[in-house]
């Protein structure tokens, strides 16, 4: 059985040791489709209050939000402390539990370029100053990043491993409207191509099971994302959690989540289509707590991985 080319494989080959991503949540970051700049309420599937910097190591700064036009940031020192505290605690656990030796700081929750450039520069530079950090991964949206920020990341990429992660989700604008995404597919294409032109590494997030999408639509999105030149991919099933707009649709009977069999069918074909150089960072997602409404198969990660490997077995592949 041949293992799929994972992000871990790529990092191990490049750095010669175990490299782990340290997920960081910094207070003050939000999204333009939450704060009213392009929309309100956020994506229909997003439980906005589930993202906070209260990770057990740091306390969230309540009522504090930045955007691209914020004139001042009175809490930068506190944000930098959050960054330090979270990195120290999480990297220590990763060293002790998994034998991690080097790290990529992953600015994960909300939109991590949606702030004034000086704030971003201070946070990125601080993260790169930590011991054994080899790079950054920045989660963002195509309507929330500036040329100045992208060019600075490209400069950092000359010496470090810099990744930009874009939520592509779908190439169909009607779908993006249904999920209240707040931007078009063309914007995704434009900024991914800009990032690639500057030499940056790009990870694309794809969601299978979005409202009213067929298997053919999901695979067309996958094909387009590969053609845009992404270097890595995260595949997600759409699941329903409480306190979201999608939950309301589900409870009214207006949305039916993707079945596991359907998801496996799309995923296997998406992996078959994948160019050899594109690494895989995630093959599924879910949550095992009381917030999950549906589908139930998204509760058990181990079961999901077993079933994915069973579906890949006829192709001679494993994850």
């Amino acid at each position: 059985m041949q293992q799929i080319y994972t992000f871990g494989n790529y990092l191990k080959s490049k750095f010669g040791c175990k490299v782990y991503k340290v997920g960081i949540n910094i207070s003050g970051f939000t999204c333009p489709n939450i704060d009213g700049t392009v929309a309100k309420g956020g994506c229909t599937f997003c439980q906005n209050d589930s993202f906070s910097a209260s990770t057990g190591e740091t306390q969230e700064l309540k009522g504090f939000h930045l955007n691209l036009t914020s004139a001042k940031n009175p809490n930068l020192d506190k944000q930098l402390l959050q960054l330090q505290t979270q990195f120290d605690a999480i990297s220590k656990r990763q060293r002790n539990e998994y034998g991690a030796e080097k790290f990529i700081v992953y600015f994960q929750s909300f939109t991590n370029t949606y702030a004034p450039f000086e704030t971003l520069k201070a946070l990125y530079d601080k993260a790169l100053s930590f011991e054994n950090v080899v790079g950054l991964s920045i989660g963002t949206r195509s309507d929330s990043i500036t040329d100045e920020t992208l060019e600075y990341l490209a400069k950092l990429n000359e010496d470090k491993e810099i990744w930009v992660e874009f939520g592509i989700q779908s190439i169909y604008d009607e779908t993006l409207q249904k999920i209240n995404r707040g931007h078009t597919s063309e914007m995704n294409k434009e900024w991914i191509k800009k990032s690639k032109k500057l030499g940056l590494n790009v990870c694309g997030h794809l969601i299978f099971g979005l409202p009213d999408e067929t298997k053919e639509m999901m695979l067309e999105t996958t094909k387009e994302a590969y053609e845009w030149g992404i270097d890595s991919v995260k595949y997600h099933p759409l699941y329903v959690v409480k306190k979201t707009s999608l939950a309301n649709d589900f409870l009214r009977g207006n949305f039916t989540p993707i079945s596991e069999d359907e998801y496996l069918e799309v995923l296997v074909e998406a992996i078959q289509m994948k160019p050899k150089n594109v690494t895989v960072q995630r093959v599924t997602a879910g949550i095992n707590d009381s917030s999950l409404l549906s589908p139930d198969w998204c509760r058990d990660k181990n079961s999901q991985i077993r079933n994915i490997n069973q579906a890949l077995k006829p192709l001679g592949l494993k994850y």
Side-chain angles (χ1 to χ4, degrees):
M1 303 294 287
Q2 180 182 354
Q3 187 182 33
I4 289 170
Y5 186 34
T6 67
F7 191 55
N9 297 148
Y10 162 80
L11 292 173
K12 181 73 179 289
S13 175
K14 181 164 184 175
F15 294 100
C17 63
K18 285 188 177 181
V19 182
Y20 271 68
K21 290 174 80 172
V22 178
I24 300 292
N25 303 327
I26 301 293
S27 288
F29 283 89
T30 182
C31 291
N33 67 334
I34 291 176
D35 69 10
T37 302
V38 299
K40 289 186 177 179
C43 297
T44 59
F45 51 79
C46 181
Q47 189 183 53
N48 300 328
D49 60 4
S50 70
F51 290 124
S52 80
S54 302
T55 62
E57 286 82 35
T58 57
Q59 194 63 37
E60 183 181 4
L61 302 173
K62 298 285 188 181
F64 165 58
H65 298 106
L66 297 166
N67 60 46
L68 294 177
T69 61
S70 298
K72 295 181 179 180
N73 180 359
N75 289 309
L76 179 57
D77 287 343
K78 292 179 181 178
Q79 289 180 310
L80 292 169
L81 182 59
Q82 285 184 344
L83 172 60
Q84 177 86 60
T85 306
Q86 289 180 57
F87 176 79
D88 288 348
I90 297 168
S91 63
K92 181 179 179 180
R93 286 201 296 268
Q94 291 176 334
R95 278 194 300 271
N96 293 340
E97 294 180 22
Y98 308 114
E101 297 172 71
K102 295 186 185 297
F103 305 94
I104 288 177
V105 178
Y106 178 24
F107 290 89
Q108 181 174 15
S109 61
F110 290 118
T111 305
N112 294 275
T113 58
Y114 193 54
F117 175 72
E118 290 306 320
T119 291
L120 300 175
K121 183 178 183 299
L123 289 165
Y124 300 161
D125 289 352
K126 179 74 170 177
L128 288 172
S129 76
F130 297 152
E131 187 176 4
N132 292 319
V133 166
V134 296
L136 308 175
S137 195
I138 316 290
T140 190
R141 292 163 47 102
S142 59
D143 59 358
S144 306
I145 187 166
T146 65
D147 287 312
E148 184 179 27
T149 296
L150 206 63
E151 287 163 8
Y152 186 69
L153 291 174
K155 181 181 176 183
L156 295 177
N157 193 49
E158 293 172 5
D159 301 309
K160 298 291 184 176
E161 179 82 7
I162 308 297
W163 285 79
V164 185
E165 301 199 23
F166 287 98
I168 298 170
Q169 324 308 14
S170 173
I171 61 164
Y172 294 94
D173 286 345
E174 60 266 35
T175 298
L176 297 180
Q177 289 173 1
K178 285 174 188 173
I179 62 173
N180 196 41
R181 188 67 188 171
H183 62 69
T184 64
S185 177
E186 188 61 32
M187 292 174 72
N188 276 334
K189 180 179 179 180
E190 175 190 354
W191 283 91
I192 287 173
K193 285 187 172 290
K194 274 189 178 185
S195 300
K196 291 308 303 167
K197 190 173 182 180
L198 288 169
L200 286 161
N201 304 295
V202 173
C203 177
H205 294 224
L206 307 177
I207 297 181
F208 298 149
L210 290 165
D212 302 318
E213 288 213 341
T214 63
K215 172 186 171 183
E216 289 71 29
M217 292 169 74
M218 298 175 216
L219 290 175
E220 188 61 28
T221 287
T222 306
K223 176 174 172 284
E224 284 279 319
Y226 295 153
E227 289 177 354
W228 293 347
I230 63 172
D231 304 280
S232 192
V233 62
K234 291 183 179 178
Y235 308 107
H236 305 253
L238 182 60
Y239 56 91
V240 186
V241 293
K242 297 175 182 177
K243 298 181 182 178
T244 63
S245 176
L246 187 66
N248 296 333
D249 288 339
F250 170 73
L251 293 170
R252 293 189 197 106
N254 295 330
F255 174 71
T256 302
I258 192 169
S259 71
E260 188 169 22
D261 285 343
E262 291 170 321
Y263 182 74
L264 289 172
E265 188 176 338
V266 176
L267 178 67
V268 168
E269 289 197 38
I271 289 170
Q272 282 183 285
M273 292 161 53
K274 182 185 70 65
K276 289 184 178 180
N277 66 294
V278 175
T279 64
V280 176
Q281 295 199 35
R282 179 183 287 272
V283 290
T284 190
I287 187 169
N288 186 22
D289 63 32
S290 61
S291 69
L292 180 68
L293 290 176
S294 186
D296 207 51
W297 64 267
C298 282
R299 289 189 185 279
D300 188 339
K301 181 74 177 290
N302 291 330
S303 173
Q304 290 180 67
I305 296 299
R306 279 197 305 271
N307 293 336
I308 287 168
N309 277 324
Q310 193 64 35
L312 289 170
K313 194 173 182 179
L315 303 177
L317 296 174
K318 65 178 181 178
Y319 177 70

